[in-house]
Amino acid sequence: MASHVPDVSLPATMSAMLLTGHGDVDRLVYRDDVAVPRPGPGEVLVRVTATAKNNTDRKAREGLYPVKKGQVTSFAMGGEPTLAFPRIQGADIAGRVAAVGEGVDPARLGERGLLDFNLYPDARRDINLTPDYYGHGADGGFAEYVAVPSDQFHHVPNPELADAELAALGMCSYQTAYHMMTSARVSAGERILVSGASGGVGTALIQLCRIVGAVPYAVSQPEKAEALMALGAEAVIDRGDLDGFAERVLEATGGAPIDAVMDLVGGEMTDRFIDTMIQDMRVRTTYPRLSIAGASGGNISEILWTRIYLYQVQLFGVSHGTREEAEQLVEWIRSGELRPVLHAAFPLSALHEAERCFVSRGSNFLGKIVLVPDSQWDEHGAPFSLASPSAHQEPRP
């Protein structure tokens, strides 16, 4: 099949991190003899400069997407499992177009962009019922090259954004956050409770609430309050103090109930989150709504269903978003309305270390971890390493 390449020929092999099976980080194996993919019709080959890490990478590796009790699996929403080994993970990919497939304008060569990470089942723009993604159902960005659909690799020329920062704005977190909000019909002036506020989806939710005119209240550690409020949180409620949680949320809102909850935690916290919405239904003007897109606090919650139907709580399960939402997010990135929250960059060969940092986190952890191919490290990774003075940057004003 025809493809166009720049003046420098593409190498035959590349370095990549291969997931060789379900398990611990030892199932991630770094290789330097992986075949470089070639772009098919309608595709571009991206020379990867940075790929953000997401919790879904760890959960897929560990087989933590059960839909039945006792099950260990990757998710198979289309009916058949799509995670095959070896697999190159990594969904939030930034890079440069190194070659184009048949039917793609050669003018795209050299173009910098950000991937819409979804493997869409069809061309619909308004719905996505069988979500899968690059890094799970197809090889992703923990490598030097990846082939992706041309129309999903969005041009983002913004010179003020480094490639590592662009990857930190990736769709896995931001599109999930936005779809949580669109599903719950979040609107201007509403008070929104954001759990897991210091992570990738949480920091995205805070920003997106402000863009649409909603008021976000963050649930996190007190030592992260200053950074989260600089990002746009109206107040930060201590996640570690469970006694009187709803009362402390209402104190932060001046006594007004939370309109909608964006739940990334699950477990025993979900019932407490519902409490923040149903304290006094007489003063509400909309139905209480809860979008859930994570279960970091536990996969099982004990909730009285009478509380759900008598208080008319609307529940929305959210995984991936739509093409329309991805395109809106890219517009906000290009305009500078969305800002990167980058914790640190690691060389791709140090992915094991990055995984341990991601899982352990800490009082100074905020935002995203990004992996940079070793061949791109000096230019795109070193300025954002943990040893660099620019690491742990405060959110941009």
Side-chain angles (χ1 to χ4, degrees):
M1 62 186 65
S3 65
H4 307 273
V5 299
D7 295 336
V8 179
S9 298
L10 293 170
T13 60
M14 65 179 181
S15 295
M17 188 68 75
L18 301 182
L19 177 63
T20 59
H22 289 306
D24 206 343
V25 292
D26 63 316
R27 304 312 299 267
L28 292 164
V29 179
Y30 189 66
R31 297 274 297 272
D32 61 6
D33 58 352
V34 178
V36 173
R38 264 38 181 186
E43 292 185 332
V44 293
L45 181 70
V46 175
R47 180 180 291 109
V48 178
T49 53
T51 301
K53 174 163 176 43
N54 292 287
N55 202 37
T56 190
D57 301 319
R58 177 189 63 83
K59 295 185 75 171
R61 169 174 56 78
E62 295 181 359
L64 297 181
Y65 283 116
V67 292
K68 298 177 182 177
K69 285 186 177 180
Q71 187 181 52
V72 177
T73 186
S74 62
F75 60 87
M77 303 304 291
E80 297 292 333
T82 60
L83 177 58
F85 303 113
R87 173 66 76 219
I88 300 172
Q89 293 187 291
D92 287 335
I93 302 166
R96 306 296 201 283
V97 175
V100 298
E102 182 180 349
V104 180
D105 188 348
R108 295 206 65 182
L109 289 170
E111 184 179 284
R112 186 180 80 155
L114 179 68
L115 177 68
D116 171 0
F117 76 124
N118 288 280
L119 292 170
Y120 291 109
D122 52 46
R124 287 190 63 170
R125 291 171 43 77
D126 61 334
I127 199 168
N128 183 6
L129 293 177
T130 56
D132 203 351
Y133 60 96
Y134 283 90
H136 183 273
D139 284 339
F142 291 161
E144 292 183 289
Y145 293 91
V146 63
V148 298
S150 173
D151 64 350
Q152 287 180 227
F153 191 67
H154 295 281
H155 185 204
V156 184
N158 307 36
E160 71 280 2
L161 279 178
D163 286 39
E165 294 175 309
L166 180 58
L169 287 163
M171 295 291 161
C172 190
S173 291
Y174 280 81
Q175 194 190 45
T176 299
Y178 191 38
H179 194 52
M180 292 177 80
M181 293 169 57
T182 59
S183 296
R185 303 178 304 281
V186 170
S187 61
E190 291 193 312
R191 295 167 296 276
I192 310 301
L193 190 67
V194 178
S195 70
S198 66
V201 179
T203 54
L205 280 163
I206 291 170
Q207 293 191 67
L208 289 165
C209 281
R210 289 300 186 183
I211 285 176
V212 304
V215 183
Y217 292 84
V219 181
S220 189
Q221 298 163 289
E223 54 265 38
K224 299 181 181 181
E226 183 177 354
L228 290 171
M229 292 179 72
L231 192 62
E234 187 75 7
V236 177
I237 296 92
D238 183 2
R239 72 177 191 186
D241 183 3
L242 302 185
D243 293 333
F245 178 81
E247 289 73 17
R248 286 186 290 109
V249 173
L250 292 173
E251 182 180 353
T253 65
I258 291 292
D259 293 296
V261 173
M262 304 293 107
D263 186 2
L264 300 164
V265 174
E268 65 177 337
M269 288 303 299
T270 295
D271 206 39
R272 288 178 167 85
F273 295 152
I274 291 171
D275 280 340
T276 69
M277 297 189 289
I278 63 172
Q279 291 293 305
D280 187 350
M281 294 295 290
R282 295 170 300 178
V283 301
R284 294 193 63 91
T285 57
T286 62
Y287 291 116
R289 290 148 283 149
L290 184 144
S291 284
I292 186 161
S296 62
N299 202 28
I300 298 176
S301 301
E302 187 174 292
I303 300 172
L304 290 172
W305 281 112
T306 46
R307 278 163 55 83
I308 301 300
Y309 68 76
L310 291 176
Y311 288 103
Q312 303 186 81
V313 178
Q314 299 180 341
L315 303 178
F316 304 91
V318 172
S319 51
H320 295 207
T322 68
R323 293 178 188 268
E324 288 179 340
E325 289 164 344
E327 290 163 6
Q328 175 62 78
L329 289 165
V330 169
E331 288 184 18
W332 284 330
I333 292 170
R334 289 172 178 157
S335 69
E337 291 174 86
L338 283 174
R339 298 168 284 162
V341 186
L342 174 59
H343 177 68
F346 288 79
L348 180 59
S349 62
L351 180 54
H352 289 194
E353 180 185 351
E355 287 272 3
R356 288 188 286 269
C357 176
F358 183 85
V359 171
S360 63
R361 310 216 174 180
S363 61
N364 69 339
F365 191 102
L366 188 75
K368 303 292 288 187
I369 283 176
V370 166
L371 282 302
V372 174
D374 292 40
S375 58
Q376 304 283 338
W377 176 253
D378 288 347
E379 180 178 0
H380 297 294
F384 304 99
S385 72
L386 288 173
S388 171
S390 61
H392 314 304
Q393 298 177 89
E394 291 297 319
R396 294 181 177 184

